[in-house]
Structure formats: C-alpha cells, structure tokens
Amino acid sequence: MFVTALAVWGMSLNTNAWKGEVTIATPNTQLLLHADENSDLRMDYYGSRSCTAAEVRDAGTAFNYPALPAFGAVDMVQLPALQIQHADGDLSSELKVEGYDVKEEGNAKVYVFTMRDKLQPLVVRLFYKAYHDVDVIETWTEIENLAKKAVTLKRYDSGHLVIRQGDVWITHLHGDWAAEAEPTTEPLKAGVKVIRNSDGARNAHLDAPEVMLSLDGRPQENQGRVIGAALCWSGNFELRFNTLLKKEHHFFAGIDPQSSEYVLDPKQTFATPHLALTFSTKGMSGVSRAFHRWARTCGGLHRGMKVGDILLNSWEGLYFDINEERMVQMMTDIAAFGGELFVMDDGWFGDKYPRNNDTSSLGDWVVDKRKLPGGIKALTDAARERGIKFGIWIEPECVNTKSELFEQHPEWALQVKGRDLKLGRGGTQLVLDMTNPKVQDFVFKVFDDLMTQYPEIAYIKWDANASIQNYGSTYLPKDRQQNLYVDYHLGLLKVLQRIRAKYPDVVIQDCASGGGRANYGLLPYFDEFWASDNTDALQRVYIQWGTSYFFPANAMACHINHCPYWNTGGRVIPVKFRCDVAMSGRLGIELQPKDMTDEERRQCTTCFADYKQLRPIVQTGDLYRLLSPYDRKGVASLMYVKDNAAALFIYKTDNYYNQPLPRIRLAGLDPAVTYTLTEKNVRVGQRPCALSGKRFTGRFLMDVGLEVPLREEYASRVFELTSN
Ligand code: DGJ
C-alpha cells in the first residue's frame, strides 16, 4: 500500500556527523545532495540525469542550499520549510546530518537522512523515494519529538526545491464548483507567491495542490524543461514560491500551518504527506505522462493499470426522485446500450427522515422502503439478471441536523461549543468529527454494513459536499484544537486504510461536489474521481484538459449528459460530440435514458461498443495533448498512445464562416511505423470521413499532420490508429 502521512520509518541512527555526496536518480532525472562536516543536508541540483555531480560542482552551478531550510539556520530573509517551537520557547532548529540509510522498497529506492538538532532533543528524518522505472521522486519528513514536553510545529513542509532563476513560469489548477481545473499560468516574479486552499475537507475546488514549473519561458505542451510537483494530501495546503534578488527561486510545499500549528506530544513522531516531484524535457505533457505512470504503477491510484467500467449514474437523470421501478428501468437501459455498471446516486436512504432533497437524512444509512420496497437486494438481483454490476452512493463524513444520527449524537459534528452552527448544503449539513475514533468507527461501519449485507455491491460513490465551517472538536482537548484540520484527514486516512484492508477490490469513486477531492492524498484508496458536476460537453473539454495535467484518464470519470443542459443555460450539444468528449476518459452516462431520442440511443450504443476497443489505449496509454482549447484555435485535440496503437480525439470548439482550422500534428508515434486510421463512433446516419482507412507513417503524422474535416458546429472526430 502507498505510504501515507501515517507511516513512520521507526529507525534511529546514532552515528557521528556524516559528510559526503549522494545522487538520487530515476531513469532520466536526478537530485544531487551533499553534507559538509557538521552541516545540514544541502541540495545542489535537480533536473536531467545528463550531468555528473562533479560537473555541477566544477561549473559552479551547485546550489549548496539547505534541502530542508529550518528557521534559525537559514538567513532570516529566506523562508523556512521547517519551524518548531520547542518546549522552552526556542523557535530555531539547526539540523546536522548524522547519517543516511538506503533501502529497496518495491520498485523504488528509499533514502532517509537523519538529522539531529544541535541543541534541542529533536530528530528530523528527510526521505527521498526514487522510482526505478518512473521519473518521480517522492519526498517527505518525519519529525520526532524526543523532549519531555510537547512542541509546536509552526511550519512543517513536505519538501523544498531550489530552482535557478530565468524565465520560469508556474501553472496550477484553479476553479470552482462546476468549473474545476482551469490551468492558470504566470511568470514567477520577485516576491512571495502563495497557492493555498483552506476548505478544510476538500482541496481541489478553487486552488489544487499540484503545480508545474516551466523553466524555459511560457510553457509548451510537448517541449521545454518542466518540473511537476503534487502534494499527496487531502486537507489544507500551501505551495509557496520565494524569489529574492539572487539567482534562485525557492519552492515549498506542505500542509498549510494557518490554524494548524500542530502540537506534537513527547515521544511522538509526525510524518508529513509525500510531495511527488518529476522533471521532464518534453514539456507539460511529459510531466503529465510521468505523473500518470507513477499513479498507475507506483500506488498513487488504487485502480492502478485497471480500466473502469462503462456506467450509468442516476444523479442527473433523476436527482432525488428515485424508486425501485426507475432504478430497474435505468438498469435495463444501460444494459441494452452495452454498459457494464449501474450506480444509484443520492436519495435512497432515510427512515424517520426520508432523503427527498438535500435538507435531511445524511447519517441515516438505512434503505427508504417507501421508495425501494425490495431493498438493495432487489436491485443487486436486477443488476445481475441484466448482466451488469451495481453501485451505490454514500456521503459518510457528513450529517444533516435533520437526521436520527444528529438527534442521537449531536456531539459527533464539528462545532465550536457555545457558538451557533454554520450550516452548509440544504441549510442543515454539517461535517462529522473524523478526529474522534468513535466517528471513525461509525464511518467505517457505514461502508462495512453495506458491503456485508450486499456483497454484490461492486462500486461505491463516496461523496463529500461540505467544507469545515465550524472549527471545533468535542473530542480533541482544548489545547489540541489546532490539530483539527490535520487530524481530520489523518482520521479519514485511517478509515480508508481499514476499508481497503478488508475490501481491496470494490471500486470506490472519490467525489466531492464534483472534482473537489481530485488529489493524490486520497487516490491511493480510490479508483477514480468525479471530475465535475458540470457535464456540459464543451465545458468538459476544458475541465478534462486541465485535470489531465496531473491525473490519468482511468481515474477521470467523464459522463455523457442530457441536453438542454441547465448548468450552461440550456445549451444543446449534439450527442456525437457529447460521446466523443466522454470517451477521452473513463466513459459513463448521466441522464434518464427513457428521455433519450432514437438518435441518442443509437449513438450511445455505437459509442459504447467502439469505446470498449479503444479503452485500454485511452485509460492506460500515454497522453499527448496536441491543441489546447485555451489557445483558441477553434479546435482542441489530444491523443493516447499504447504500444503501436493510438486513439486520437478532435473537438471543434468555435464555429464561424471561413474559419482557418489548424492542422493536427500528432505526437508520441514511431516515425518509422505505418499507421492505419479508422474513424470511431461515426455519427449516426453518416459515413466515416475520407481519412478513415488511409495509411500514413508516424513521421508524416507528426511532421506534416492531418487536415480533419470539421464542418458543422460541435463537429468532432475520434480515430483509432493501428499499425498492422
Ligand atoms: C454531488 C455530486 O458531485 C453529484 O454527482 C451527486 O452525487 C450529488 N452530490 C448528490 O447529492
């Protein structure tokens, strides 16, 4: 299982001060470190593997800067990555490397540098985990309080990088509900730049905990040196860039210490979340491919290399208006289209308080027999009879004040004693106190009871629709309230670890009002995430584009919606375009099939059949983003390559008379191989375009490119490229 903030190395070295050099390498990248007599660990270089430590040193380009700058040890004008208030009030730490250890762990080598404070009883272990076959190095720390009294972690970043100044640009994902993952790109200028999220429970709406640093000017998709960083944490975070009038930028990433100056008890060790770092000379797409490969093969995504089923989710088709007859009808329809899974969303539970809207019932995870007289058993039976799997929605971390759970356990909700409750969704929603072991047991039991009673459940959609608005815990002592934001997520991770230990195979979707929890803190336990509550296909071209910067296609749930679509003011988009957009991720459908036109039904059936052929390439292939919708060229295009096959997607994003459309120059192919193009998901009633069946070399496709016919508004094409 992926190592999380809960894991502790549990090793102590008692050697004398160590000095020397270490090279930490992946196939194409390296990090060069050294320590002098009595010094802390120094970072000299991070980048391509094309140089030696001696060259970096001889050329005078070694940074020779603390790998983990501690307050009191670095120049005060520099920002620290670590600041601890010791029991006697001392705010400084001066770390000296005692030694380092290396061990093989799966497909990686883990280096741990043990550093001891020169004055205080404190040990800090700094880790680097370098993968043998993926260009990712993870870094994190363990802070061990050896004192007899508690200390306060005022700042405890997971990692820090030194980057040479030049024309450095940063790109991170910004957004909101229904408009997630908009890449925001800007040059890094003098001063401090901070990207943070304070939602408390969900950290990928607004600003997300990943970033790319393009070292050669304005970022490009397929060329240029780019560093990628993803903080593997589901709570509040802070990414900081500090640029002084010197020659370096400093990049820091970690848990946001605001309202979270963590109290660490004596003899306890705090492990920070991992920060995953990658470096590519192949532009932003190169960084994305490294993260995708790492997620799928190194434990960052629970699904790994597996592909996701084609599913129908009931939410946008019915909202809360579910009953047994409608569930069975939806199952019949999705099975008829060739789908593989049906998911019953919100609205199925509540006894005393039926869940008919969002104002009640969260916490009361019992079937509403008025809606589902045969219970869940009748539904799993119906799914089996139709040859499909069954899935169900829960939101176990939350409670409504109008619920039996809240009546029995009002103290389980996060709250500030004596203050009015701030209520979320539906005017009654609260977040449960995941720091409390009793609440952790309850949340585990919600999942466990469902799975024990209905072992045929193949899929759970785990939702979280609230931020932490009441900062207070009835469980944490008054002098530990500031640990709440962090302990909430450590509690959540404990529950997820219990669930995965018992249920390694059930597919779990990570959902939080859409893409609010697309992060690598949670994905080691989840198989996929719901990318957005906005399923408008044109807007999804943009949302999925940004999401793909860091997350692989088999993690990204993309559903065909109904039109006119309320979220974008009643926009109507042809079903062919809607299918083609959803086909570029984990395909699903999010509508009432009963209301579909004959054309829509036929197109979806074609789409599902063709997607099954393309699915291994899309969901587990290498992504190359070709034409960005943000560049406003009228067309967006991306492709996936796996072995000598590829899937190419082209979407017309603007439409006007006399429009010059760009050529689509492909990438990632073998120049010497000849590929046959076959158009897929051809529009119902039309023939494949003239390019279908033609053969071209990889060289031609990448150097010259294709002029793809895209005449009408919302035209789109999907091609399969095969090499035999
Ligand atoms: C928010 C999710 O993003 C939706 O997909 C849906 O599950 C609703 N919650 C249900 O309340």
Side-chain angles (χ1 to χ4, degrees):
M1 176 124 348
F2 193 65
V3 183
T4 70
L6 296 175
V8 165
W9 186 269
M11 185 201 71
S12 69
L13 286 181
N14 270 321
T15 54
N16 294 321
W18 169 85
K19 66 171 188 173
E21 284 181 353
V22 178
T23 298
I24 296 173
T26 67
N28 301 294
T29 74
Q30 61 182 350
L31 175 68
L32 304 179
L33 302 162
H34 82 270
D36 302 319
E37 193 84 59
N38 263 332
S39 86
D40 54 359
L41 191 67
R42 320 289 290 183
M43 178 175 295
D44 288 334
Y45 172 90
Y46 176 57
S48 105
R49 210 175 159 176
S50 58
C51 56
T52 64
E55 284 174 318
V56 170
R57 200 175 41 240
D58 292 350
T61 53
F63 293 128
N64 188 16
Y65 196 84
L68 192 73
F71 182 85
V74 285
D75 183 345
M76 290 302 177
V77 297
Q78 296 284 5
L79 297 181
L82 182 77
Q83 186 182 24
I84 295 168
Q85 182 150 33
H86 304 279
D88 62 1
D90 176 10
L91 284 161
S92 297
S93 299
E94 290 175 282
L95 304 172
K96 172 187 82 172
V97 185
E98 290 192 336
Y100 82 95
D101 191 23
V102 191
K103 76 172 184 192
E104 288 291 330
E105 198 178 277
N107 58 341
K109 209 174 236 185
V110 181
Y111 297 75
V112 52
F113 296 87
T114 299
M115 298 185 277
R116 193 175 291 270
D117 190 273
K118 290 180 181 170
L119 179 67
Q120 301 283 357
L122 176 86
V123 164
V124 176
R125 287 182 282 274
L126 177 55
F127 291 76
Y128 294 100
K129 180 172 185 178
Y131 288 90
H132 297 313
D133 47 6
V134 180
D135 284 320
V136 167
I137 297 175
E138 292 169 30
T139 183
W140 69 101
T141 72
E142 283 180 7
I143 302 162
E144 188 175 357
N145 177 15
L146 298 170
K148 292 203 174 68
K149 288 194 178 153
V151 298
T152 304
L153 311 186
K154 295 176 83 66
R155 185 169 285 289
Y156 40 108
D157 284 330
S158 296
H160 155 251
L161 274 185
V162 192
I163 296 148
R164 195 184 185 289
Q165 277 193 35
D167 196 5
V168 177
W169 289 56
I170 56 171
T171 303
H172 82 283
L173 302 180
H174 176 81
D176 204 341
W177 175 79
E180 291 88 343
E182 182 175 329
T184 303
T185 296
E186 61 200 295
L188 206 46
K189 295 272 169 66
V192 178
K193 161 89 189 167
V194 176
I195 298 167
R196 53 199 296 276
N197 194 314
S198 323
D199 180 279
R202 310 161 298 178
N203 70 8
H205 278 141
L206 307 177
D207 294 297
E210 303 87 20
V211 69
M212 294 203 199
L213 294 117
S214 306
L215 309 186
D216 300 314
R218 189 180 280 277
Q220 298 186 56
E221 277 298 349
N222 291 304
Q223 52 190 308
R225 296 172 306 146
V226 182
I227 290 171
L231 184 71
C232 308
W233 181 240
S234 49
N236 294 350
F237 68 84
E238 192 178 80
L239 310 178
R240 278 179 337 279
F241 306 85
N242 188 24
T243 303
L244 296 169
L245 288 176
K246 288 189 179 170
K247 55 182 182 180
E248 292 121 17
H249 303 283
H250 292 268
F251 166 59
F252 304 84
I255 291 175
D256 184 2
Q258 178 163 309
S259 314
S260 293
E261 293 196 348
Y262 198 88
V263 182
L264 184 63
D265 284 317
K267 311 294 174 233
Q268 295 298 306
T269 299
F270 185 88
T272 67
H274 293 200
L275 173 68
L277 297 166
T278 188
F279 169 84
S280 174
T281 56
K282 305 251 166 27
M284 295 202 294
S285 278
V287 162
S288 301
R289 286 191 293 278
F291 277 129
H292 297 175
R293 213 168 291 157
W294 165 78
R296 288 191 289 233
T297 63
C298 305
L301 172 69
H302 185 263
R303 172 168 279 157
M305 285 297 279
K306 288 195 201 132
V307 297
D309 288 326
I310 302 172
L311 65 84
L312 165 61
N313 186 66
S314 67
W315 179 243
E316 290 190 14
L318 292 172
Y319 296 103
F320 296 97
D321 204 11
I322 66 164
N323 63 30
E324 191 171 305
E325 188 193 331
R326 290 183 197 126
M327 295 296 93
V328 174
Q329 165 256 312
M330 282 185 146
M331 288 190 231
T332 307
D333 284 320
I334 185 69
F337 296 154
E340 298 153 328
L341 167 70
F342 170 72
V343 182
M344 175 169 68
D345 206 287
D346 202 348
W348 61 267
F349 53 94
D351 180 20
K352 180 170 170 190
Y353 302 107
R355 176 80 167 172
N356 294 328
N357 53 47
D358 61 10
T359 64
S360 73
S361 322
L362 291 177
D364 300 350
W365 301 104
V366 287
V367 178
D368 182 349
K369 288 274 180 146
R370 289 151 292 211
K371 293 178 184 170
L372 303 171
I376 291 169
K377 175 80 171 56
L379 302 180
T380 55
D381 287 349
R384 186 180 351 94
E385 282 155 20
R386 284 156 185 77
I388 59 170
K389 299 176 201 163
F390 179 79
I392 192 165
W393 178 96
I394 54 174
E395 191 179 354
E397 295 158 71
C398 289
V399 66
N400 289 113
T401 50
K402 196 170 159 194
S403 69
E404 293 187 67
L405 181 71
F406 191 72
E407 285 168 357
Q408 288 152 18
H409 288 294
E411 78 286 4
W412 280 7
L414 289 173
Q415 56 197 271
V416 188
K417 277 242 166 92
R419 294 191 188 276
D420 289 344
L421 288 170
K422 292 188 186 65
L423 299 161
R425 187 185 185 197
T428 59
Q429 187 159 341
L430 293 168
V431 179
L432 291 175
D433 183 358
M434 293 297 289
T435 72
N436 184 340
K438 286 196 181 129
V439 174
Q440 293 168 17
D441 287 345
F442 169 80
V443 173
F444 173 77
K445 198 166 166 332
V446 171
F447 195 103
D448 192 40
D449 282 353
L450 273 175
M451 293 307 300
T452 317
Q453 289 173 52
Y454 314 106
E456 282 187 83
I457 292 177
Y459 180 106
I460 301 261
K461 176 172 174 177
W462 180 306
D463 208 344
N465 293 300
S467 34
I468 294 180
Q469 296 189 70
N470 302 286
Y471 190 95
S473 160
T474 60
Y475 170 75
L476 292 174
K478 60 176 186 296
D479 56 354
R480 295 292 183 277
Q481 291 289 314
Q482 69 228 61
N483 291 6
L484 193 162
Y485 276 142
V486 174
D487 284 352
Y488 181 94
H489 290 272
L490 295 180
L492 174 60
L493 290 177
K494 270 192 195 155
V495 173
L496 292 169
Q497 285 168 359
R498 275 172 80 186
I499 287 172
R500 277 313 187 188
K502 188 160 177 192
Y503 302 106
D505 297 327
V506 63
V507 174
I508 316 180
Q509 185 187 74
D510 165 6
C511 173
S513 315
R517 273 187 169 173
N519 64 57
Y520 282 117
L522 292 180
L523 286 176
Y525 308 95
F526 289 87
D527 297 282
E528 58 176 42
F529 58 85
W530 183 222
S532 177
D533 273 348
N534 193 337
T535 50
D536 175 279
L538 182 60
Q539 194 148 2
R540 273 294 186 123
V541 169
Y542 291 83
I543 292 171
Q544 294 170 195
W545 186 271
T547 304
S548 80
Y549 276 28
F550 300 97
F551 302 101
N554 64 338
M556 183 165 53
C558 307
H559 295 182
I560 300 161
N561 72 344
H562 60 95
C563 283
Y565 190 58
W566 66 275
N567 235 335
T568 41
R571 182 150 56 198
V572 177
I573 294 181
V575 64
K576 151 82 174 144
F577 188 95
R578 285 183 265 150
C579 288
D580 286 356
V581 172
M583 283 172 87
S584 70
R586 199 282 284 130
L587 173 67
I589 184 165
E590 186 94 15
L591 45 67
Q592 167 53 291
K594 217 158 56 106
D595 300 338
M596 289 165 85
T597 63
D598 187 49
E599 183 199 344
E600 286 177 323
R601 288 173 165 267
R602 286 168 57 207
Q603 192 72 59
C604 282
T605 308
T606 305
C607 162
F608 285 14
D610 285 359
Y611 182 75
K612 285 178 187 166
Q613 292 168 7
L614 293 179
R615 174 162 52 186
I617 308 171
V618 170
Q619 291 202 24
T620 66
D622 279 333
L623 169 68
Y624 292 83
R625 286 181 298 263
L626 306 174
L627 284 172
S628 169
Y630 289 99
D631 287 347
R632 304 253 167 249
K633 299 240 164 67
V635 173
S637 179
L638 54 99
M639 64 185 287
Y640 297 95
V641 182
K642 190 175 172 78
D643 305 322
N644 266 334
L648 171 66
F649 296 87
I650 303 150
Y651 310 113
K652 192 173 188 189
T653 48
D654 291 313
N655 186 52
Y656 53 91
Y657 179 70
N658 239 354
Q659 185 178 11
L661 290 178
R663 279 209 185 144
I664 315 287
R665 289 175 57 215
L666 279 55
L669 301 174
D670 183 338
V673 165
T674 300
Y675 296 87
T676 304
L677 262 65
T678 308
E679 187 173 356
K680 292 291 183 186
N681 194 33
V682 175
R683 187 169 188 161
V684 167
Q686 288 190 1
R687 297 164 64 81
C689 74
L691 288 169
S692 190
K694 298 263 169 63
R695 287 161 61 79
F696 304 97
T697 62
R699 176 170 292 110
F700 177 86
L701 292 169
M702 293 191 291
D703 288 354
V704 180
L706 296 171
E707 307 239 339
V708 178
L710 297 166
R711 240 187 85 66
E712 71 280 7
E713 184 160 42
Y714 297 117
S716 60
R717 304 271 179 195
V718 178
F719 293 96
E720 182 178 22
L721 281 76
T722 46
S723 61
N724 42 27

